[in-house]
Amino acid sequence: MSLTSPDRGYLLEHIDFDSGSIEALHGAIVNVLEHAGDARLVLGNIEGGLEGRGAAIRDATADAGEIAHRIRPTVGMLRRISVAVRGYGEAVAQHARAANDLVPEIEAAHRAVGDAESAAATAQTREGALSSDASDAQTAQAASAVEIAEEDLAARRRALADLWAAWEAAYGFWDDAYGQALAAIVNVESAGGSTAMRAAIDALANADSPAEVAEIWAGLTDAQRDDVTSRRPEFVGNLEGVPYATRFEANRAVYDETIAAGPYGDPLDSQFEQLGIELDWNDGELLMFHPFEQPQATAAVVYDVRRDERGQVIDPFAGVTNVNVLVGGMFSGLGDLEDWGQSARDLNDYAEAYGAQPTGSVSIAWYGYDSPNLATEHTMGSATEGAARLAATLRGLDAEVSSQITTSVIGHSYGSTTAFLAVGGSPEELGVDRLIAVGSAGVPDGYHAGWTGDAQMDYTGTEIYATRAPWDFVARYGEVSSFGHGTDPADIPGATTFESDGGTAPALGGGDESVLSTPGHASHDGGNSIWGWWEQDNGYLARDSESFRNIANIVANGEVLQ
């Protein structure tokens, strides 16, 4: 597991930042403010002193005054954003860099303490092993060795404690600055809002865990919760710890506003259109939604969520025994939602049918990261970003659902790389009971520097399942050509493999039926091509493939089909 600081429990990690980008953003805002100031000056001159008479002159002066009046609040908002960005940039330059510089020193100091502990234990063992007829010189020498080893150990522990104290201080200052900047930007349009509303946003933005968010949220009045949600739906909709039903409503409001402001051109328009189909016709709800995130829009859709006759969300986890998260790999994005949404719904149906006891299933199609392309698939860059986001989603899911519900994460191709890094590299339990890899492009090797430090990947408490189709050369190439994800998940101790080469499986209506072999790497259609267009409905996650039926049985019963 990862190292955590002794006093405040911070995860030892490098803070990702780009001072140049922050400075450039601040400079761009200042530039806009300067131009806005010039525009207001010109408009003021037109309003107050444009020479001439007649209707055209009167209209021009009136329009100039109205535009100048409209610019004023925008300038105020930009000024507040500028202050927030500048403050965060200063905190990054001072504290984030200092914290990052201390990380390798702390890791080295931890190793030194471990070595000193071993040396002290060895000295004590040797002293204890002295025979009763040992000479005074031997006894004195052994005692001296113990004393020296213990003094060295104490010194190294003090040095480590000093490093931790310095790192915690720097990290804490950065963390506070981040929360303040986030709260300031979220509140940027709310300068005239109530003090209570601004205080609520500030508290939520600075919360460190879904549990803390949930506690703050529960402490608000109904009016305060409604106020925050209506003013900042994009903030509430993506905040882990806020009840899912509230997040669904907030993200739907953001989706509707996004559509109303369009069109944007493809691929966004076609992606948003498909997203609307999933929401309106396929019992989907938005758990996460960042429509204009670059380089690709991100979202997560929960399937089989029902509403009552008043349109209110019914508790999506009532009577549910399984929650499943589907994570796509290379080239995946919202443009694939039709197929992945179908797989999520099919998984619910088949898991409920296969369950040995009454089984209820909810599945999530997760598109929360910038998936890799051919140039980046062999690296851990996208996985590192995606793992952080997926871990946040899983942490929030764990806080939302009962501990009696079984959580499975299913990753295809590079999606398994991301999923295994999220779960195996987390410093805390994420509540994931089963990790299922299909067509894996390889999972992290041992440990991943910058994510787990020197600690090994740890899947304790999580069942591992894996399959690769016999002719899936793309997955095997992804593994052997990688820098950091060259481990076959089937080789993880305790992992269970399952078949994906066709055969028979239980049918929904009872009895057995033939199921398809997956001929290559595709998640849904195609053979060994990355895209594959000549074969249909035989990919790892296609309903009638042997791979998919095994996944459904694993989700429902914790075992592969026999």
Side-chain angles (χ1 to χ4, degrees):
M1 303 297 280
S2 303
L3 298 174
T4 55
S5 63
D7 293 333
R8 303 181 67 175
Y10 293 138
L11 169 67
L12 183 67
E13 61 179 349
H14 282 273
I15 301 168
D16 291 328
F17 66 89
D18 185 338
S19 293
S21 295
I22 297 172
E23 291 173 6
L25 174 60
H26 180 257
I29 296 172
V30 169
N31 188 47
V32 171
L33 283 170
E34 291 174 352
H35 285 299
D38 294 342
R40 287 182 63 192
L41 179 63
V42 171
L43 290 167
N45 290 335
I46 293 174
E47 180 185 20
L50 188 64
E51 295 182 358
R53 288 181 291 180
I57 297 297
R58 289 194 300 273
D59 289 344
T61 55
D63 288 345
E66 182 179 355
I67 293 171
H69 178 74
R70 290 181 178 180
I71 287 176
R72 189 174 295 110
T74 302
V75 169
M77 285 192 298
L78 285 172
R79 189 169 288 116
R80 290 192 291 277
I81 293 174
S82 173
V83 170
V85 171
R86 184 185 62 200
Y88 179 64
E90 291 172 351
V92 162
Q94 181 178 356
H95 303 300
R97 185 172 285 110
N100 284 352
D101 289 344
L102 287 166
V103 169
E105 295 184 46
I106 290 174
E107 291 173 340
H110 259 279
R111 290 192 293 271
V113 167
D115 292 342
E117 287 173 341
S118 297
T122 299
Q124 291 166 355
T125 299
R126 287 174 178 171
E127 183 184 36
L130 287 175
S131 63
S132 57
D133 59 351
S135 67
D136 290 343
Q138 289 174 321
T139 301
Q141 184 179 17
S144 176
V146 169
E147 182 179 359
I148 291 171
E150 289 179 342
E151 287 177 353
D152 180 62
L153 174 58
R156 293 184 183 278
R157 283 174 171 168
R158 287 193 298 272
L160 176 59
D162 290 343
L163 287 170
W164 269 125
W167 183 84
E168 279 190 323
Y171 189 92
F173 283 127
W174 167 79
D175 189 54
D176 290 343
Y178 180 83
Q180 291 166 8
L182 178 60
I185 291 174
V186 171
N187 271 316
V188 72
E189 292 184 18
S190 308
S194 69
T195 301
M197 192 274 292
R198 293 199 301 274
I201 289 178
D202 186 68
L204 291 167
N206 281 281
D208 292 326
S209 68
E212 188 176 345
V213 169
E215 183 179 357
I216 294 168
W217 188 262
L220 302 178
T221 66
D222 289 343
Q224 288 172 329
R225 287 192 287 264
D226 290 344
D227 193 17
V228 172
T229 303
S230 63
R231 287 177 180 269
R232 278 287 175 253
E234 76 288 351
F235 172 63
V236 173
N238 295 296
L239 188 58
E240 301 296 343
V242 172
Y244 275 22
T246 301
R247 292 174 63 183
F248 294 159
E249 299 291 357
N251 284 326
R252 182 59 194 245
V254 173
Y255 173 81
D256 290 341
E257 291 174 4
T258 301
I259 296 302
Y264 308 97
D266 280 331
L268 280 181
D269 286 343
S270 58
Q271 291 174 356
F272 292 161
E273 180 182 4
Q274 185 60 47
L275 191 53
I277 293 172
E278 303 305 305
L279 301 181
D280 293 336
W281 299 102
N282 291 324
D283 292 326
E285 295 286 352
L286 275 169
L287 177 61
M288 175 180 69
F289 186 45
H290 300 285
F292 304 113
E293 190 162 30
Q294 294 296 327
Q296 63 185 66
T298 57
V301 182
V302 184
Y303 286 93
D304 279 0
V305 180
R306 304 288 192 265
R307 291 176 178 264
D308 60 23
E309 62 276 2
R310 298 173 300 162
Q312 300 298 308
V313 173
I314 300 172
D315 180 5
F317 302 111
V320 166
T321 56
N322 305 293
V323 176
N324 316 299
V325 183
L326 302 173
V327 183
M330 183 167 60
F331 292 118
S332 65
L334 288 179
D336 306 314
L337 190 55
E338 181 178 3
D339 286 336
W340 284 75
Q342 185 64 56
S343 289
R345 296 190 301 276
D346 288 340
L347 185 55
N348 292 341
D349 291 340
Y350 277 85
E352 290 173 7
Y354 283 4
Q357 56 185 358
T359 302
S361 188
V362 167
S363 294
I364 302 170
W366 190 86
Y367 294 96
Y369 75 125
D370 173 26
S371 63
N373 54 36
L374 286 172
T376 59
E377 181 277 336
H378 62 285
T379 73
M380 289 295 291
S382 293
T384 302
E385 173 204 346
R389 293 187 169 200
L390 179 58
T393 298
L394 295 172
R395 200 174 291 115
L397 179 64
D398 189 40
E400 179 80 10
V401 304
S402 163
S403 60
Q404 302 304 309
I405 292 178
T406 299
T407 299
S408 300
V409 179
I410 301 106
H412 170 252
S413 187
Y414 194 91
S416 68
T417 312
T418 301
F420 276 62
L421 180 58
V423 176
S426 174
E428 58 190 318
E429 293 291 335
L430 298 179
V432 176
D433 301 288
R434 294 167 186 149
L435 272 172
I436 305 172
V438 294
S440 177
V443 299
D445 300 325
Y447 70 94
H448 176 50
W451 181 265
T452 60
D454 291 324
Q456 296 293 308
M457 301 296 292
D458 187 353
Y459 303 105
T460 302
T462 302
E463 300 171 6
I464 307 293
Y465 297 87
T467 190
R468 274 184 184 157
W471 299 99
D472 185 352
F473 300 122
V474 174
R476 290 169 174 83
Y477 176 77
E479 177 189 310
V480 300
S481 66
S482 74
F483 299 97
H485 57 93
T487 297
D488 184 345
D491 293 336
I492 295 173
T496 301
T497 59
F498 58 94
E499 299 298 325
S500 51
D501 56 355
T504 60
L508 279 182
D512 290 339
E513 62 183 352
S514 296
V515 288
L516 300 174
S517 168
T518 296
H521 187 62
S523 59
H524 293 88
D525 298 327
N528 252 323
S529 164
I530 295 169
W531 299 275
W533 57 87
W534 60 88
E535 297 180 77
Q536 299 293 314
D537 300 325
N538 55 11
Y540 287 107
L541 297 175
R543 179 188 63 193
D544 292 328
S545 70
E546 184 184 20
S547 167
F548 177 85
R549 300 299 182 88
N550 268 302
I551 294 170
N553 202 63
I554 293 167
V555 164
N557 301 311
E559 60 184 23
V560 303
L561 291 170
Q562 301 301 317

